């Protein structure tokens, strides 16, 4: 299996910022050999959050997601490393913290499937789109 250097986007969501987990979460990625190459502290507007999560527009949870993501500041950041997209998602854990593996960010810190601390790109295409949304 050939490993490739990749950039991916992750966001510490408003609940993670509120719980003062920024340093703890960034350190988890750095401890696994990833490089944090760009960080931004933002408070998304409703329009920005709606654009970012537009692929979920028809889902019943869309309005709650937008409300949650605009409820406070968040911290988008770019992570670089070997097979970063897949490995970052493994470190984050399953979207539902009750199903997340022990030692993952969501298992350790998230309260629910809705308040799940962190976002991570799920594909190369998503990573490119999401990075350009926040950083270009």
């Amino acid at each position: 299996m050939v490993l490739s250097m990749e950039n991916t986007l992750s966001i510490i969501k408003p609940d993670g910022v509120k719980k003062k987990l920024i340093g703890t979460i960034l350190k988890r990625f750095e401890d696994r050999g990833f490089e944090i190459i760009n960080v931004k502290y933002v408070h998304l507007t409703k329009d920005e959050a709606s654009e970012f999560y537009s692929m979920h527009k028809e889902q019943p949870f869309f309005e709650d997601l937008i409300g949650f993501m605009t409820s406070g500041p968040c911290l988008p950041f770019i992570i670089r490393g070997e097979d970063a997209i897949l490995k970052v998602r493994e470190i984050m854990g399953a979207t539902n913290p009750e199903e997340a593996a022990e030692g993952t960010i969501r298992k350790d810190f998230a309260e629910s499937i809705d308040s799940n601390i962190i976002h991570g790109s799920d594909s190369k295409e998503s990573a490119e789109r999401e990075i350009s949304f926040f950083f270009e």
Side-chain angles (χ1 to χ4, degrees):
M1 182 169 147
V2 177
L3 299 176
S4 63
M5 290 298 284
E6 293 177 328
N7 290 343
T8 189
L9 183 97
S10 190
I11 304 171
I12 300 174
K13 295 180 179 180
D15 55 335
V17 172
K18 186 176 182 182
K19 290 180 178 182
K20 300 184 181 343
L21 293 172
I22 292 170
T24 300
I25 291 172
L26 294 179
K27 185 169 177 7
R28 286 209 179 182
F29 292 113
E30 289 179 328
D31 287 350
R32 297 284 294 272
F34 290 97
E35 184 180 3
I36 308 299
I37 62 170
N38 211 335
V39 175
K40 185 183 282 189
Y41 192 79
V42 299
H43 195 140
L44 293 173
T45 66
K46 185 174 181 183
D47 287 345
E48 289 167 336
S50 296
E51 181 183 342
F52 186 78
Y53 287 107
S54 62
M55 74 291 296
H56 299 305
K57 190 169 43 183
E58 302 304 320
Q59 298 296 325
F61 59 81
F62 181 73
E63 289 301 323
D64 287 341
L65 174 62
I66 300 311
F68 171 62
M69 289 302 295
T70 59
S71 67
C74 61
L75 193 92
F77 57 103
I78 302 172
I79 304 173
R80 176 177 291 157
E82 290 184 352
D83 288 337
I85 295 166
L86 177 65
K87 290 181 179 175
V88 164
R89 291 186 67 77
E90 289 173 358
I91 294 166
M92 290 178 358
T95 304
N96 183 344
E98 292 178 12
E99 298 170 2
E102 291 296 327
T104 62
I105 292 168
R106 288 179 173 144
K107 185 68 167 186
D108 291 346
F109 303 114
E111 293 176 12
S112 69
I113 195 167
D114 297 317
S115 297
N116 63 15
I117 300 288
I118 193 164
H119 164 89
S121 303
D122 62 4
S123 68
K124 186 171 174 44
E125 297 73 29
S126 291
E128 290 170 359
R129 180 185 71 79
E130 294 174 358
I131 288 169
S132 68
F133 182 88
F134 285 105
F135 294 101
E136 291 176 15

